[in-house]
């Protein structure tokens, strides 16, 4: 079992009982404590509505280096959270720049370009549907064929036909219809703009979510969307890209393409990626606790 010194894990509090960890993360908090670290609480709702200073009021002063583990946070708000914690003497081990790099597709795409579907994106604010001509230009960058629509962070894959899948990018009217529905459903939560990703057919073995700490795989588990399928991906091509990205705590979602190649479907910051309930969190938190002792300057090698 690791001894993590002054490393702190920050979890969201229960909105109904602010002195307790949010029930969604209670098992993870138990695993964190078992790894020898200190657990402190932040108010996620306050971070989004009242400001970072209020959100971190329960974090002890001079707490030292910290990992956040909780609900997704927009990159701008994460930067505010990082600054507010620094003012209290608590330094997040993932900087705001590294958080954005892993959390938003434009930050990680070039590093994983050979391992992930071809993609093109167009910055656009929430609520604004890009002009059909602009979408046609965006589609042309992919060279045609089927594609999926998403933003910098999320897709609407559960509304596959109406707000995600485009059978043929040459059909600009259909593309515009799908994008418009996607923008409508994302509403204020649309992040960054519109992304088109070339559609790739995958074998029905499910996705694997791999958790990386300082460039090494700490946990390989089922993706939360396919909990009954537990593939064992080949990580030999992915590991160098993870190290090149230079983010200390990230996830990669891997799927097996029909031609037998493992592909990176998504990259995410590990602090805000979902851990399936049936996954044992202890190996992950032991790895994070050990990484915390290496300090904020550590980078994957």
């Amino acid at each position: 079992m690791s001894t993590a010194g002054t490393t702190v894990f920050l979890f969201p509090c229960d909105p109904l009982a602010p002195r307790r960890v949010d029930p969604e993360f209670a098992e993870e908090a138990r695993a964190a404590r078992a790894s020898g670290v200190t657990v402190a609480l932040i108010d996620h709702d306050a971070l989004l509505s009242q400001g970072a200073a209020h959100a971190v009021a329960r974090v002890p002063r001079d707490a030292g280096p910290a990992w956040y583990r909780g609900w997704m946070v927009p990159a701008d708000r994460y930067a505010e959270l990082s600054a507010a914690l620094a003012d209290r003497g608590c330094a997040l081990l993932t900087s705001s720049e590294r958080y954005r790099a892993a959390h938003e597709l434009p930050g990680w795409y070039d590093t994983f370009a050979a391992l992930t579907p071809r993609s093109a994106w167009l910055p656009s604010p929430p609520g604004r549907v890009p002009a059909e001509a602009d979408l046609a230009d965006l589609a042309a960058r992919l060279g045609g064929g089927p594609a999926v629509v998403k933003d910098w962070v999320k897709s609407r894959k559960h509304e596959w036909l109406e707000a995600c899948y485009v059978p043929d990018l040459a059909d600009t009217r259909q593309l515009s219809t799908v994008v418009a529905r996607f923008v409508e459903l994302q509403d204020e939560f649309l992040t960054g703009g519109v992304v088109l990703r070339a559609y790739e057919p995958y074998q029905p073995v499910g996705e694997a979510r791999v958790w990386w700490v300082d460039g090494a795989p700490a946990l390989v588990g089922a993706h939360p969307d396919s909990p009954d399928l537990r593939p064992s991906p080949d990580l030999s091509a992915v590991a160098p890209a993870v190290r090149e990205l230079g983010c200390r705590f990230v996830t990669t979602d891997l799927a097996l393409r029909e031609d037998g190649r493992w592909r990176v479907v998504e990259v995410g910051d590990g602090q805000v990626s979902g851990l399936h309930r049936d996954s044992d969190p202890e190996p992950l938190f032991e790895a994070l606790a050990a990484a915390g002792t290496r300090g904020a300057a550590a980078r994957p090698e």
Side-chain angles (χ1 to χ4, degrees):
M1 184 176 296
S2 302
T3 57
T6 60
T7 304
V8 176
F9 276 77
L10 306 174
F11 287 94
C13 66
D14 184 341
L16 301 179
R19 295 182 181 276
R20 298 189 311 201
V21 175
D22 187 308
E24 188 68 23
F25 296 96
E27 180 60 20
E28 294 187 31
R30 183 202 62 76
R33 291 187 178 101
S35 71
V37 303
T38 300
V39 169
L41 300 177
I42 68 168
D43 189 328
H44 180 267
D45 291 347
L47 177 62
L48 300 184
S49 62
Q50 296 174 269
H54 185 86
V56 303
R58 292 186 181 277
V59 177
R61 291 191 176 275
D62 300 318
W67 297 109
Y68 170 65
R69 180 71 192 129
W71 301 113
M72 191 174 292
V73 178
D76 290 345
R77 293 300 176 88
Y78 184 90
E80 295 170 5
L81 173 65
S82 180
L85 287 167
D87 287 343
R88 296 181 71 85
C90 180
L92 284 170
L93 288 160
T94 294
S95 70
S96 55
E97 294 80 11
R98 293 293 88 197
Y99 177 81
R100 186 184 292 273
H103 184 57
E104 299 181 349
L105 183 141
W108 59 260
Y109 176 76
D110 285 348
T111 303
F112 289 85
L115 306 170
T116 197
R118 288 177 296 113
S119 302
W121 53 88
L122 180 66
S124 183
R128 180 183 298 173
V129 180
E132 189 170 317
D134 292 334
L135 290 174
D137 290 342
L138 188 66
R141 291 164 56 186
L142 295 186
V148 296
V149 175
K150 66 187 299 292
D151 65 16
W152 273 213
V153 177
K154 287 285 190 179
S155 71
R156 305 289 305 195
K157 61 185 176 181
H158 298 298
E159 293 92 9
W160 180 252
L161 293 178
E162 63 173 315
C164 188
Y165 179 65
V166 180
D168 184 358
L169 286 172
D171 186 346
T172 307
R173 179 172 296 181
Q174 174 67 10
L175 170 61
S176 185
T177 297
V178 173
V179 169
R181 182 60 173 152
F182 171 78
V183 170
E184 178 187 4
L185 291 174
Q186 285 295 90
D187 195 23
E188 63 181 301
F189 299 107
L190 187 142
T191 300
V194 172
V195 179
L196 300 181
R197 279 168 68 74
Y199 172 77
E200 294 186 349
Y202 299 114
Q203 297 183 30
V205 297
E207 292 182 22
R209 176 158 287 178
V210 185
W211 302 75
W212 304 82
V213 178
D214 284 345
L219 179 67
V220 180
H223 190 280
D225 290 343
S226 54
D228 297 326
L229 299 174
R230 300 176 181 274
S232 298
D234 178 1
L235 303 181
S236 58
V238 181
V242 170
R243 292 192 290 270
E244 181 183 346
L245 186 63
C247 298
R248 300 196 64 189
F249 182 25
V250 298
T251 57
T252 54
D253 294 342
L254 304 180
L256 186 61
R257 200 164 62 184
E258 286 187 349
D259 63 2
R261 292 177 179 268
W262 284 99
R263 302 287 282 168
V264 176
V265 178
E266 193 68 73
V267 175
D269 183 89
Q271 298 175 112
V272 297
S273 297
L275 180 65
H276 186 259
R277 292 180 182 275
D278 290 342
S279 295
D280 179 5
E282 289 195 5
L284 176 61
F285 283 92
E286 289 180 0
L288 288 167
T293 67
R294 295 193 286 269
R299 287 290 183 269
E301 299 178 356

